[in-house]
Amino acid sequence: MLELNYPLLKSVKVDNSLTIFLNKKFDFYIQNIKEQGQVDKAYNNFNNGFQTPNLLLWKDKEFKNFLNNEILNLLSKKFFFKKNQIKYKWVHMLKYESGGKMEAHRHMHNEDFVFFIYLNSCKSSGETIFYLNNFDENSLKRTKISVLPKKNLGLCFSSLLVHEGFESYEDKRIFVVGFRLS
């Protein structure tokens, strides 16, 4: 008998060493694009913030090794995905600046699941809102889950879920991985 266990939305605690590494790499990436004079292009990706392009194309060997070992192991151990089934489609990092937000969207056109790691905590703004049912307006309101960013919190969710990032005034940072299962 085939046994399936795919999360709609599941949270886990992520080891602080992973968050430290990701923040270090994010700072390194931002510094490099500043030195290359490419900051203006990168900051146009979303409202009041910064989003990297797809980091699967980044030639940083240490980062690629981290993805193919640490993140792959985490996805396998915490969410029970088989490592050989996971195919990364998109990897990026986001930094929300004062008033930064992300409109409601879903990822089903690119991937099957999305994994976030919050790289810092926010005390009073920047919630990620997940809508478990978007059939009609009443369902949206009834099945809304709000998650305030907390450093070392990981979230894995189905790419079918509509979600949005509410305005943040606390420089919210997120690491995002989208993947398909084969």
Side-chain angles (χ1 to χ4, degrees):
M1 177 178 184
L2 181 63
E3 192 173 318
L4 303 174
N5 182 16
Y6 294 123
L8 180 61
L9 174 62
K10 184 177 178 180
S11 65
V12 296
K13 181 165 177 36
V14 174
D15 189 271
N16 193 50
S17 64
L18 300 182
T19 305
I20 289 170
F21 176 86
L22 289 167
N23 272 310
K24 180 183 87 167
K25 281 299 177 181
F26 198 14
D27 290 340
F28 176 77
Y29 185 90
I30 290 170
Q31 185 59 39
N32 271 346
I33 65 164
K34 283 181 179 177
E35 289 171 3
Q36 296 172 14
Q38 298 177 0
V39 170
D40 290 339
K41 290 180 189 174
Y43 271 85
N44 290 329
N45 286 347
F46 76 97
N47 184 19
N48 288 349
F50 171 81
Q51 176 178 316
T52 67
N54 192 344
L55 294 176
L56 290 175
L57 305 174
W58 194 19
K59 297 192 185 327
D60 185 293
K61 289 180 184 177
E62 186 181 32
F63 183 76
K64 286 202 184 283
N65 186 50
F66 176 83
L67 277 177
N68 293 324
N69 290 293
E70 303 301 325
I71 296 299
L72 199 58
N73 287 335
L74 187 149
L75 290 171
S76 177
K77 287 178 185 173
K78 299 284 187 175
F79 303 106
F80 310 108
F81 296 118
K82 292 180 181 171
K83 289 182 194 179
N84 64 348
Q85 288 185 306
I86 297 171
K87 304 294 181 226
Y88 294 134
K89 301 306 284 181
W90 192 266
V91 176
H92 60 133
M93 291 190 240
L94 300 104
K95 179 180 182 221
Y96 293 65
E97 295 178 346
S98 186
K101 64 181 181 177
M102 182 74 70
E103 299 299 323
H105 65 285
R106 59 176 108 190
H107 297 248
M108 63 187 184
H109 57 285
N110 284 332
E111 53 253 352
D112 298 325
F113 292 93
V114 180
F115 177 61
F116 284 0
I117 298 175
Y118 292 109
L119 302 179
N120 66 330
S121 296
C122 295
K123 293 180 181 175
S124 61
S125 68
E127 299 95 330
T128 305
I129 306 298
F130 296 92
Y131 301 96
L132 301 182
N133 183 342
N134 64 343
F135 179 70
D136 60 31
E137 192 170 333
N138 287 333
S139 296
L140 278 174
K141 291 177 186 174
R142 185 184 76 242
T143 60
K144 176 172 74 170
I145 294 175
S146 177
V147 179
L148 189 63
K150 183 174 168 118
K151 186 178 179 182
N152 302 327
L153 175 64
L155 297 171
C156 187
F157 58 95
S158 166
S159 65
L160 298 172
L161 281 183
V162 174
H163 58 284
E164 64 183 306
F166 275 16
E167 287 182 353
S168 179
Y169 297 94
E170 302 176 63
D171 292 326
K172 170 178 153 182
R173 286 178 160 217
I174 302 176
F175 170 73
V176 181
V177 176
F179 58 96
R180 290 212 172 156
L181 298 177
S182 59

